[in-house]
Amino acid sequence: MVTGDWIAALPSLGTMAAYAAAVVLLVVTPGPDMALFLGRTLSQGRAAGLAALAGTTVGLYVHTALAALGLSALIAASSLAFTALKWAGAAYLVFLAVEALRRGSAFTVRTASIGEGPSLARAFLAGLGVNILNPKIVLFFLTFLPQFVDPADPHATFRMGVLGGFYGVIGAPICVGLILAAERVAGAFARSRRLARGLDCALAGLFGAFAARLVLSKA
């Protein structure tokens, strides 16, 4: 695609404005990804929260690429593939819930500094897994992105990719702001074992609820 065609294939400003407004509303809607990166921020600090956010963002870009290439449609159309992904995602959320309860106060800002590299890597992978193993995100991108692209447009695949890319660009500053706000109260959780344990239980409950919701979802 030459430069002129590339510019012409970009979504219009009106489309981008409508898309940006919709993305802002979706980003601030609580979900398992938000629960994860805010929970990691409160329990392990800002760096872990940002690492988890990076993982969830990469997961969204993976789904954007799949949707643009049409692979997500195949997953959604296949009952077996959708069910397998659904149960894998639910099992992963249950695993995160159990980990929050089992490790308890090990999720603290102070202990994270002893193995900061692996801790950040685990936070990133946790975020990646939460979004990649969520079939509801597959359905989301199949129903959300096409609303801003004309299926008869010869550049539809390219425009879907651009819109999907802007999802992270628009959402990242909002999520970073939430992480920085959460960091301001993280010290209270580090100082109080009762608050830390309450956070563990709350996160476990959230992940468990999201897992149950995922299991009950239908293609």
Side-chain angles (χ1 to χ4, degrees), residues 11-12 48 87 183:
S12 67
W87 282 102
E183 184 189 26

Side-chain angles (χ1 to χ4, degrees), residues 31-51:
D33 50 355
M34 181 183 290
L36 179 69
F37 65 70
L38 289 183
R40 289 299 171 100
T41 301
L42 290 172
S43 59
Q44 292 182 325
R46 178 177 57 186
L50 292 174

Side-chain angles (χ1 to χ4, degrees), residues 98-201:
V98 172
E99 281 291 284
L101 291 176
R102 184 176 67 84
R103 298 184 65 176
S105 58
F107 284 139
T108 64
V109 179
R110 307 307 167 214
T111 57
S113 62
I114 299 177
E116 187 173 359
S119 176
L120 296 182
R122 286 195 298 270
F124 174 85
L125 291 175
L128 183 65
V130 159
N131 275 351
I132 283 186
L133 296 176
N134 190 347
K136 296 189 74 175
I137 295 182
V138 172
L139 297 181
F140 163 75
F141 276 103
L142 282 179
T143 57
F144 180 68
L145 285 181
Q147 295 182 48
F148 299 91
V149 177
D150 183 355
D153 186 345
H155 302 300
T157 297
F158 175 76
R159 290 188 176 180
M160 284 184 67
V162 171
L163 290 172
F166 269 100
Y167 190 104
V169 173
I170 297 168
I174 298 174
C175 294
V176 170
L178 293 173
I179 288 173
L180 295 178
E183 184 189 26
R184 298 177 72 89
V185 299
F189 288 90
R191 291 189 296 269
S192 171
R193 181 177 294 274
R194 179 176 297 180
L195 281 178
R197 191 55 181 166
L199 174 63
D200 295 331
C201 294

Side-chain angles (χ1 to χ4, degrees), residues 25-108:
L25 292 176
L26 291 168
V27 168
V28 299
T29 300
D33 50 355
M34 181 183 290
L36 179 69
F37 65 70
L38 289 183
R40 289 299 171 100
T41 301
L42 290 172
S43 59
Q44 292 182 325
R46 178 177 57 186
L50 292 174
L53 172 61
T56 61
T57 302
V58 171
L60 288 175
Y61 283 146
V62 170
H63 282 294
T64 296
L66 293 178
L69 294 173
L71 298 180
S72 291
L74 296 178
I75 295 175
S78 170
S79 177
L80 179 61
F82 182 87
T83 301
L85 189 59
K86 177 176 71 174
W87 282 102
Y92 187 67
L93 288 172
V94 169
F95 166 76
L96 291 177
V98 172
E99 281 291 284
L101 291 176
R102 184 176 67 84
R103 298 184 65 176
S105 58
F107 284 139
T108 64

